Amino acid sequence: PVFPSQDPLDRADFNAVEYINTLFPTEQSLANIDDVVNKIRLKIRCLDDNIRTVVRGQTNVGQDGRQALEEAQVAIGQLFGKIKDIKDKAEKSEQMVKEITRDIKQLDHAKRHLTTSITTLNHLHMLAGGVDSLEAMTRKRQYGEVANLLQGVVNVLEHFHKYMGIPQIRQLSERVKVAQSELGTQILADFEEAFPAQGSKRAGGPSNVLRDACLVANVLDPRIKQEIIKKFIRQHLSEYMVLFQENQDVAWLDKIDRRYAWIKRQLVDYEEKYGRMFPEEWCMTERIAVEFCHITRTELAKVMRTRAKEIEVKLLLFAIQRTTNFEGLLAKRFSGCTLTDGPGVKKPETPLESTNPFLEDEIGEDGSEMEEDLDRPKKHKAPDNPFHGIISKCFESHLYVYIESQDKNLGEMIDRFVSDFRAQGPPKAGTEDGGAVLPSCADLFVYYKKCMVQCSQLSTGEPMIAFTTIFQKYLREYAWKILSGNLPKTSSNSGGLTIKSLLQEKEGSEAAKFTVEELCLICSILSTAEYCLATTQQLEEKLKEKVDKNLVERINLTGEMDTFSNVISNSIQLLVQDLDAACDPALTAMSKMPWQSVEHVGDQSPYVTSVIMHIKQNVPIIRDNLASTRKYFTQFCIKFTNSFIPKFINHLFRCKTISMVGAEQLLLDTHSLKTVLLDLPSIGSQVVRKAPASYTKIVVKGMTRAEMILKVVMAPHEPSVVFVDNYIKLLADGNPETFQKTLDMKGLKRSEQSSMLELFRQRLPTPPSGTDGGPSLSFSTPTPEQENSRIRKLEKLIKKRL
């Protein structure tokens, strides 16, 4: 239904039987059947009337629609006719407009052609008159008027390029070219007359005529201008070529200052006499200075090749210093704009790097320099010097003299460091020098810095690579002769066990310990190696900044940094071995105590007191002397712990037949050692710092394993299944050898151990797929006990042979 209705007859699921039963639920209700039938018939009649009305209404709507469609078609036809009329009228209007404007277009074209003709005729008149005037002025040398007129004639002539087929135009163009050629020849002759190539005196000197001639040369062929500049500069520097010939005494390096003093005077003389004669954009002062630099570079190279054997280091440095100073003065005075437009003149190939923090470092006349740390913050670089190397490049081929000198100086410095160390001895304990960086280290790097600054001023090319190679050589020698060579020697060069140490295991025997002075020396060498490592890394960065970009890849000090890293590792290992060896007798005493006869649990055992005593003796000394390198003190603590805890566990396994009370005492001792190890980094210190989490994790993990071993020993071995499961749960170790060591600690007989081992293998969890199926559990790793077992076998073998 379109509208909502509550009538049951309108429902989609109408059921006639149910509807009748609703109307007549009982037999008595059938008495009203006639009334119900009448109502239904009345309702049917009403529905028929409604349907009939709707059908008739739809019939009338169809007729109205057809009538409306016919009316719309008629209206469209009328509209189409009106549009056609408008189009016809528009076409007629367009035709009328074309007829009206046809004459206007003709007039417009005529006007344009007439204007072009008048303009061209005016240009032709100007060109013809200009050429006549140009020829007349040239003969009269009226260069001031010629400069302006010639530029105008050239500009006008450009408008006639498309008319060159006309004889008159071509003739005028040829006359202009001839006039330009005559002007160039005439101006060159005037300059030759005023400034003859030969003769010490200048005949004419500056004049207004020559000044105007320069303005004309700007408009002529550029070769005219270049020829004028070339001849003038050659004549201006002719005296220099005579005064400083190769056979003259002043030509040698010790009088190089006189060259630069001469050119300074000449430049001042030029500015006073000829500064206004040449146009400012010609930059004549700079061109004279640049040509002087090229001549000087060639002459110096020639005289140094001839007298190469006479070149000494001080003389070479003096000449380079004066030359670089002069190049710096040129950079302050001139822009370098002429370096790229002259024949044979090229820009320096290797400008200074923009990140160079040593740009303002200066070397004095005596070769000394201002003190400055390598780790000084970087300064903003001054603008690049375009004149850098324009003269000093000639010294590069002779830098081998300086390189050999520095090689010799550095070798003598290393030898002096060795002798001074032997004479003065190691740093004294309890003094400011204890654990401090060796003074020779600072001296070495200060000298390195001085050499690097000097070298970068001399050259940033291949010589810089040669210097770097020397630096590397003596960095390694310093590491070997001063650092590694002065580390205290242990009983074994390899740091391992010797026959003597293997046999000295009786209670009370102790290996020779380092003295306090030796500990301070080791810490001092460690601190020095760390300083060298950091400074060498900075040195590599500075060298890369100073060397040419194409040579950066050849600067590599990684090998030297690795050498200093090895010194650091060896120093830490010596400290660890010393403390570790001091604790060995106490651990040996622990393994030989009669733990089966301990009757009651008391305070910590004497061997624990001995270990703690050695720790309190050594660690504070090491910590105080490594105060400036705390990360390496932390490494020392970690390495000692990684060495001591496995050794402690190994000695626990050596304790045989431990009673219940003995196991409790050992557990108490283990807890005491665990507490001491957790406090190891700050033991004996007034300032208590929390140990690093990485260190604490190692101690907790290792000592917890020792505690678990003792808890397994304390547990009864009956019933066997419970004991084995408890072992696997506590230790998480599937190695049968470790399990047997635990049984040895309990004092079980071999027969009992065999059954327990078989049960242990049966109770091990199945390894996950993909493993090798070995005896160890998936979460266990090879323990140091296996290595210690091999050491014991070696010890027994040696004893038998002895």
Side-chain angles (χ1 to χ4, degrees):
V2 178
F3 300 102
S5 175
Q6 301 297 327
D7 193 341
L9 297 173
D10 293 332
R11 294 177 59 182
D13 57 347
F14 174 74
N15 190 318
V17 176
E18 291 182 358
Y19 182 69
I20 293 173
N21 291 332
T22 303
L23 293 177
F24 306 105
T26 59
E27 294 181 359
Q28 290 79 8
S29 60
L30 292 175
N32 298 326
I33 190 171
D34 292 335
D35 294 336
V36 173
V37 170
N38 291 332
K39 289 181 180 180
I40 294 299
R41 287 175 179 173
L42 178 61
K43 192 169 185 178
I44 291 172
R45 192 179 299 114
C46 291
L47 289 174
D48 290 340
D49 292 340
N50 291 337
I51 292 170
R52 191 179 301 111
T53 302
V54 171
V55 171
R56 290 174 179 173
Q58 290 296 324
T59 302
N60 296 335
V61 168
Q63 293 176 354
D64 294 342
R66 284 192 297 271
Q67 184 179 355
L69 180 61
E70 292 174 357
E71 293 175 354
Q73 290 175 344
V74 173
I76 289 172
Q78 295 174 352
L79 180 61
F80 180 77
K82 292 180 180 180
I83 292 173
K84 186 176 181 182
D85 292 341
I86 293 172
K87 181 180 180 183
D88 294 339
K89 291 178 180 180
E91 292 176 351
K92 293 179 181 179
S93 299
E94 183 180 2
Q95 186 65 29
M96 292 174 63
V97 171
K98 287 182 179 179
E99 293 175 357
I100 293 172
T101 58
R102 183 180 299 115
D103 297 336
I104 296 176
K105 288 183 179 180
Q106 292 177 354
L107 291 174
D108 184 58
H109 288 308
K111 178 183 177 182
R112 186 180 303 112
H113 294 320
L114 184 60
T115 302
T116 303
S117 300
I118 294 172
T119 302
T120 304
L121 287 174
N122 286 335
H123 286 165
L124 182 60
H125 177 72
M126 292 169 57
L127 180 61
V131 171
D132 293 338
S133 300
L134 182 63
E135 293 172 343
M137 292 176 181
T138 300
R139 289 190 294 270
K140 296 179 181 179
R141 283 181 167 79
Q142 295 175 346
Y143 295 133
E145 292 80 0
V146 168
N148 296 326
L149 179 60
L150 179 60
Q151 184 63 57
V153 169
V154 172
N155 292 338
V156 172
L157 190 59
E158 292 178 357
H159 295 281
F160 290 95
H161 281 317
K162 56 184 176 182
Y163 304 115
M164 285 300 171
I166 302 173
Q168 292 81 355
I169 302 299
R170 187 167 59 250
Q171 183 181 3
L172 286 173
S173 176
E174 293 297 332
R175 289 176 62 188
V176 171
K177 291 180 180 178
V178 171
Q180 288 177 320
S181 177
E182 292 178 354
L183 273 172
T185 304
Q186 184 171 304
I187 289 173
L188 288 175
D190 292 343
F191 269 93
E192 183 67 28
E193 182 181 354
F195 304 101
Q198 302 297 331
S200 59
K201 299 295 182 181
R202 298 177 177 84
S207 67
N208 293 333
V209 174
L210 295 180
R211 182 185 61 189
D212 294 338
C214 291
L215 298 178
V216 176
N218 273 336
V219 187
L220 296 175
D221 190 326
R223 288 177 294 182
I224 303 298
K225 169 185 171 182
Q226 293 174 4
E227 187 66 21
I228 293 172
I229 293 173
K230 180 180 178 181
K231 287 185 176 182
F232 180 81
I233 293 177
R234 185 189 304 123
Q235 198 277 342
H236 210 70
L237 295 177
S238 59
E239 181 183 350
Y240 176 71
M241 298 294 292
V242 175
L243 292 176
F244 293 90
Q245 287 183 9
E246 182 180 355
N247 57 358
Q248 298 295 323
D249 183 56
V250 293
W252 189 229
L253 300 180
D254 59 343
K255 296 180 177 60
I256 199 170
D257 277 342
R258 298 189 183 183
R259 294 177 181 267
Y260 305 133
W262 184 90
I263 189 60
K264 290 176 185 177
R265 290 194 303 270
Q266 292 301 313
L267 293 178
V268 172
D269 179 68
Y270 166 81
E271 291 286 353
E272 292 177 353
K273 293 182 179 180
Y274 308 102
R276 297 183 180 180
M277 188 176 76
F278 294 100
E280 184 178 352
E281 64 270 16
W282 284 22
C283 303
M284 285 298 294
T285 310
E286 180 178 325
R287 291 181 187 276
I288 294 172
V290 169
E291 183 63 22
F292 165 83
C293 291
H294 288 296
I295 294 174
T296 303
R297 176 175 169 180
T298 303
E299 292 299 316
L300 287 176
K302 187 188 303 181
V303 72
M304 284 192 293
R305 281 196 302 270
T306 305
R307 305 172 63 176
K309 295 182 179 180
E310 301 178 35
I311 301 176
E312 298 178 352
V313 176
K314 290 184 178 180
L315 180 62
L316 181 65
L317 291 179
F318 168 79
I320 293 174
Q321 175 63 34
R322 294 297 187 265
T323 302
T324 53
N325 287 346
F326 177 71
E327 292 172 349
L329 290 177
L330 293 180
K332 294 178 180 178
R333 174 65 176 82
F334 306 116
S335 63
C337 61
T338 65
L339 292 173
T340 56
D341 61 1
V345 180
K346 58 182 180 180
K347 201 169 183 179
E349 300 175 356
T350 55
L352 297 178
E353 292 292 334
S354 60
T355 56
N356 184 357
F358 300 103
L359 183 65
E360 298 180 7
D361 292 347
E362 295 183 357
I363 304 176
E365 296 182 4
D366 57 351
S368 63
E369 64 164 320
M370 298 181 295
E371 295 295 329
E372 181 181 6
D373 292 333
L374 281 176
D375 55 358
R376 177 176 178 174
K378 294 182 179 180
K379 298 177 289 188
H380 292 292
K381 177 189 175 299
D384 289 341
N385 179 1
F387 299 94
H388 176 71
I390 194 170
I391 300 177
S392 57
K393 202 77 174 177
C394 66
F395 297 109
E396 187 166 312
S397 59
H398 299 276
L399 288 180
Y400 66 89
V401 176
Y402 179 73
I403 295 174
E404 291 174 356
S405 172
Q406 295 305 325
D407 192 358
K408 179 180 177 182
N409 292 342
L410 285 168
E412 293 175 352
M413 179 178 288
I414 295 296
D415 293 340
R416 187 176 70 252
F417 290 161
V418 173
S419 60
D420 289 348
F421 190 92
R422 291 174 180 173
Q424 297 173 4
K428 303 301 180 182
T431 65
E432 294 181 357
D433 294 335
V437 175
L438 298 177
S440 60
C441 176
D443 295 342
L444 180 67
F445 280 102
V446 166
Y447 190 79
Y448 276 176
K449 182 223 168 177
K450 172 185 173 181
C451 293
M452 182 172 61
V453 174
Q454 284 182 337
C455 182
S456 64
Q457 291 181 342
L458 304 180
S459 172
T460 56
E462 286 293 336
M464 197 69 164
I465 301 300
F467 275 100
T468 302
T469 303
I470 292 177
F471 291 166
Q472 292 175 285
K473 171 185 174 182
Y474 288 103
L475 282 174
R476 291 192 297 269
E477 285 204 10
Y478 185 84
W480 295 333
K481 294 182 179 180
I482 309 298
L483 301 182
S484 295
N486 288 305
L487 282 174
K489 300 296 186 294
T490 59
S491 58
S492 171
N493 292 332
S494 62
L497 294 176
T498 62
I499 296 177
K500 181 179 179 181
S501 63
L502 287 172
L503 298 180
Q504 282 186 343
E505 289 198 359
K506 54 183 180 178
E507 186 174 356
S509 65
E510 292 190 9
K513 288 176 78 280
F514 289 139
T515 64
V516 176
E517 287 74 15
E518 288 174 328
L519 290 177
C520 292
L521 174 60
I522 296 173
C523 293
S524 182
I525 291 176
L526 192 156
S527 300
T528 304
E530 185 205 24
Y531 176 82
C532 291
L533 176 62
T535 313
T536 301
Q537 185 175 5
Q538 296 174 13
L539 177 64
E540 182 184 61
E541 295 172 359
K542 306 309 176 188
L543 287 169
K544 288 183 177 180
E545 290 176 3
K546 292 180 179 296
V547 78
D548 292 345
K549 291 183 178 179
N550 60 328
L551 299 176
V552 169
E553 296 299 327
R554 295 173 62 182
I555 303 293
N556 187 357
L557 304 185
T558 304
E560 289 65 41
M561 289 187 276
D562 290 343
T563 300
F564 290 118
S565 297
N566 291 335
V567 174
I568 294 173
S569 299
N570 293 339
S571 300
I572 295 176
Q573 190 61 32
L574 282 177
L575 297 174
V576 171
Q577 286 180 359
D578 180 61
L579 182 55
D580 208 18
C583 297
D584 280 348
L587 296 181
T588 303
M590 176 194 75
S591 63
K592 294 182 178 181
M593 289 180 63
W595 294 106
Q596 72 277 12
S597 59
V598 176
E599 298 180 354
H600 62 275
V601 179
D603 296 333
Q604 63 188 25
S605 302
Y607 75 88
V608 177
T609 304
S610 177
V611 170
I612 296 175
M613 179 192 69
H614 289 301
I615 290 176
K616 289 184 176 181
Q617 285 178 350
N618 282 35
V619 172
I621 297 173
I622 297 172
R623 182 182 59 245
D624 294 343
N625 284 278
L626 295 181
S628 60
T629 57
R630 285 198 60 84
K631 65 177 180 179
Y632 292 116
F633 174 68
T634 302
Q635 286 188 22
F636 159 75
C637 295
I638 291 175
K639 286 189 175 182
F640 171 72
T641 304
N642 280 330
S643 173
F644 176 80
I645 293 179
K647 185 179 292 187
F648 173 71
I649 293 176
N650 181 52
H651 280 78
L652 274 182
F653 284 131
R654 294 186 184 182
C655 299
K656 307 297 184 181
T657 316
I658 304 174
S659 64
M660 178 67 70
V661 179
E664 292 177 356
Q665 181 63 49
L666 278 172
L667 192 61
L668 174 65
D669 295 340
T670 302
H671 181 73
S672 298
L673 288 175
K674 179 180 179 181
T675 304
V676 171
L677 291 176
L678 287 173
D679 295 337
L680 182 69
S682 59
I683 195 168
S685 174
Q686 296 179 353
V687 180
V688 179
R689 294 185 180 180
K690 187 177 180 180
S694 57
Y695 171 79
T696 303
K697 183 178 179 181
I698 293 173
V699 174
V700 171
K701 181 179 180 181
M703 296 306 288
T704 300
R705 176 176 173 81
E707 292 173 344
M708 292 301 104
I709 291 172
L710 292 172
K711 289 182 179 180
V712 169
V713 173
M714 292 172 60
H717 61 279
E718 294 293 344
S720 302
V721 175
V722 176
F723 176 78
V724 171
D725 290 344
N726 188 45
Y727 173 89
I728 295 174
K729 179 180 178 182
L730 291 177
L731 290 185
D733 190 341
N735 191 340
E737 185 178 352
T738 306
F739 181 70
Q740 185 172 0
K741 291 177 182 178
T742 308
L743 299 180
D744 290 339
M745 294 174 68
K746 293 181 67 66
L748 297 181
K749 298 178 180 179
R750 289 297 175 182
S751 58
E752 295 177 308
Q753 290 185 13
S754 299
S755 60
M756 296 283 279
L757 281 170
E758 184 62 29
L759 181 61
F760 172 75
R761 292 188 179 92
Q762 295 175 2
R763 303 293 292 179
L764 281 177
T766 304
S769 59
T771 63
D772 56 359
S776 298
L777 295 179
S778 60
F779 48 79
S780 65
T781 57
T783 59
E785 288 83 347
Q786 298 172 358
E787 297 295 329
N788 291 326
S789 175
R790 286 195 287 268
I791 293 175
R792 289 203 308 276
K793 291 178 181 178
L794 174 63
E795 173 190 352
K796 293 178 181 178
L797 178 62
I798 294 174
K799 286 182 178 180
K800 288 180 180 179
R801 292 186 177 181
L802 291 176

